[in-house]
Amino acid sequence: MNTSELLKKVRKIEIKAIGLSREVFAGQYHSAFKGRGMAFSEVREYQYGDDIRDIDWNVTGRFHRPYVKVFEEERELTVMLLIDVSGSLDFGTVNQLKRECATEIAATLAFSAIQNNDKIGVIFFSDHVEKYIAPKKGRKHILFLIREMLTFTPVSRKTNVGAGLEYLNKVMKRHCTAFIISDFYTRKDFSQELRIANRKHDVVAIQVYDPRAKEMPDVGLVKVVDAETGHQMYIDTHDSRLRKAHNIYWEEREQRLTDILKQGHVDSVAIATDDDYVKKLMSLFSKRS
């Protein structure tokens, strides 16, 4: 797309994402994702029931009566978006491509983050890390991220979720909240990398999928192409046995993903390209509040 089209698309996504993050997600996001710890706020006189470990002995000695330190939760977070840029995201049969849906979700999360004064960064991954953008604050940074999401061209079209998680563990030394936005069409097991990442960080998985991948329609002879390998073949979707086998494959694949996420103690949500992703994200946030 040319510069004018790109700017229009960025502006359209910005307007929609800001509206959603302000009107819908502000409170939900704030309560769903906790700060990184407790920070000293003030001292006050000791009250019955206060923890004696919080007594400030210097102030107590100066005023000859007990005072305690008061702590508040630090709200500022570092948020990392791990965005799948592999070839399988360039697929869509209903409202939009999976990549477009993923970009809108990522933009909404990004604007929700900066409204809470959080830093936001991005890791683009395929079967390796394609690009890392360090966390920063501010609208200018968010708009830069959205432009990158819309225009970035990966070197590889294959997927390895574990590569993105492994890089997250290396580059982020302090605790962060990490959203993996992917269709999870990965042939390599990533359960170990996920467990390690979620012990150090707060990892949330957002699966984006096309509804036709879940249930194959009966539309006759169709040419299909594997977006990650380029392999082409014709299939007869009129064959009920083929449609049933495809459905079984989908359900088994989804169950494997569910098991991996559950074993890693990772919260998750699955969003179809024709879903109202606002409702889906709200449901995810409310479960965490």
Side-chain angles (χ1 to χ4, degrees), residues 13-31 33 75-79 105-120 136-143 145-146 285:
I13 290 176
E14 179 190 13
I15 291 169
K16 184 175 182 179
I18 286 179
L20 291 172
S21 59
R22 281 180 181 165
E23 297 172 19
V24 184
F25 293 140
Q28 290 275 6
Y29 173 92
H30 181 97
S31 59
F33 301 99
R75 271 302 316 162
E76 182 179 307
L77 294 171
T78 296
V79 177
I105 292 169
T108 302
L109 292 171
F111 278 109
S112 298
I114 63 167
Q115 286 191 54
N116 279 271
N117 203 35
D118 298 338
K119 293 179 181 178
I120 184 105
K136 291 182 183 177
K137 296 181 183 180
R139 175 178 175 271
K140 186 177 179 181
H141 179 62
I142 299 300
L143 294 180
L145 295 182
I146 295 173
F285 290 177

Side-chain angles (χ1 to χ4, degrees), residues 1-7 9-10 13 85 90 99-100 103 124 131 133 143-155:
M1 68 182 79
N2 60 39
T3 303
S4 176
E5 291 173 334
L6 176 60
L7 291 174
K9 199 153 191 176
V10 170
I13 290 176
V85 292
D90 292 321
R99 188 179 307 284
E100 294 169 338
T103 298
F124 291 119
K131 187 168 186 175
I133 303 174
L143 294 180
F144 168 69
L145 295 182
I146 295 173
R147 284 196 297 271
E148 286 294 299
M149 292 175 203
L150 290 171
T151 62
F152 184 77
T153 303
V155 173

Side-chain angles (χ1 to χ4, degrees), residues 39-280:
F40 172 73
S41 175
E42 61 179 351
V43 293
R44 61 164 171 76
E45 281 197 62
Y46 176 86
Q47 298 174 3
Y48 178 75
D50 285 340
D51 192 331
I52 60 171
R53 291 173 295 184
D54 292 336
I55 291 177
D56 187 318
W57 294 107
N58 290 331
V59 178
T60 296
R62 193 156 61 243
F63 290 97
H64 306 291
R65 55 183 183 273
Y67 276 77
V68 294
K69 296 176 182 178
V70 178
F71 296 86
E72 291 182 349
E73 181 189 11
E74 287 184 274
R75 271 302 316 162
E76 182 179 307
L77 294 171
T78 296
V79 177
M80 289 300 301
L81 302 177
L82 280 69
I83 301 178
D84 185 348
V85 292
S86 63
S88 60
L89 273 289
D90 292 321
F91 178 77
T93 61
V94 188
N95 294 344
Q96 57 185 346
L97 299 179
K98 287 187 284 183
R99 188 179 307 284
E100 294 169 338
C101 181
T103 298
E104 284 196 20
I105 292 169
T108 302
L109 292 171
F111 278 109
S112 298
I114 63 167
Q115 286 191 54
N116 279 271
N117 203 35
D118 298 338
K119 293 179 181 178
I120 184 105
V122 169
I123 296 172
F124 291 119
F125 71 91
S126 54
D127 60 351
H128 65 276
V129 172
E130 297 269 357
K131 187 168 186 175
Y132 166 66
I133 303 174
K136 291 182 183 177
K137 296 181 183 180
R139 175 178 175 271
K140 186 177 179 181
H141 179 62
I142 299 300
L143 294 180
F144 168 69
L145 295 182
I146 295 173
R147 284 196 297 271
E148 286 294 299
M149 292 175 203
L150 290 171
T151 62
F152 184 77
T153 303
V155 173
S156 173
R157 296 185 63 80
K158 297 181 180 180
T159 313
N160 181 3
V161 176
L165 289 165
E166 189 174 8
Y167 189 82
L168 173 75
N169 294 333
K170 289 178 181 177
V171 77
M172 298 303 296
K173 303 303 180 186
R174 301 186 66 179
H175 176 86
C176 75
T177 296
F179 294 94
I180 314 171
I181 305 174
S182 172
D183 57 9
F184 293 93
Y185 279 9
T186 180
R187 290 176 171 83
K188 292 188 177 180
D189 180 74
F190 61 94
S191 54
Q192 183 176 353
E193 292 91 343
L194 185 67
R195 283 195 299 270
I196 293 170
N198 203 38
R199 281 202 294 265
K200 185 177 179 182
H201 307 291
D202 182 10
V203 179
V204 179
I206 299 176
Q207 181 191 17
V208 178
Y209 70 93
D210 187 280
R212 295 294 180 266
K214 185 175 182 179
E215 190 167 335
M216 183 183 292
D218 181 357
V219 291
L221 194 64
V222 175
K223 180 182 179 180
V224 295
V225 181
D226 187 318
E228 299 200 358
T229 65
H231 178 69
Q232 301 180 17
M233 64 183 295
Y234 284 92
I235 60 172
D236 182 8
T237 63
H238 188 61
D239 187 337
S240 60
R241 293 170 301 177
L242 176 66
R243 295 199 307 275
K244 183 177 180 180
H246 174 82
N247 187 249
I248 291 171
Y249 167 77
W250 168 267
E251 290 178 353
E252 289 177 346
R253 182 179 162 278
E254 287 298 287
Q255 188 58 55
R256 285 196 299 272
L257 177 59
T258 298
D259 292 344
I260 289 172
L261 296 174
K262 189 176 292 184
Q263 289 164 11
H265 304 288
V266 170
D267 291 329
S268 64
V269 63
I271 302 175
T273 54
D274 61 346
D275 274 341
D276 180 347
Y277 68 81
V278 174
K279 289 183 179 179
K280 292 279 187 160

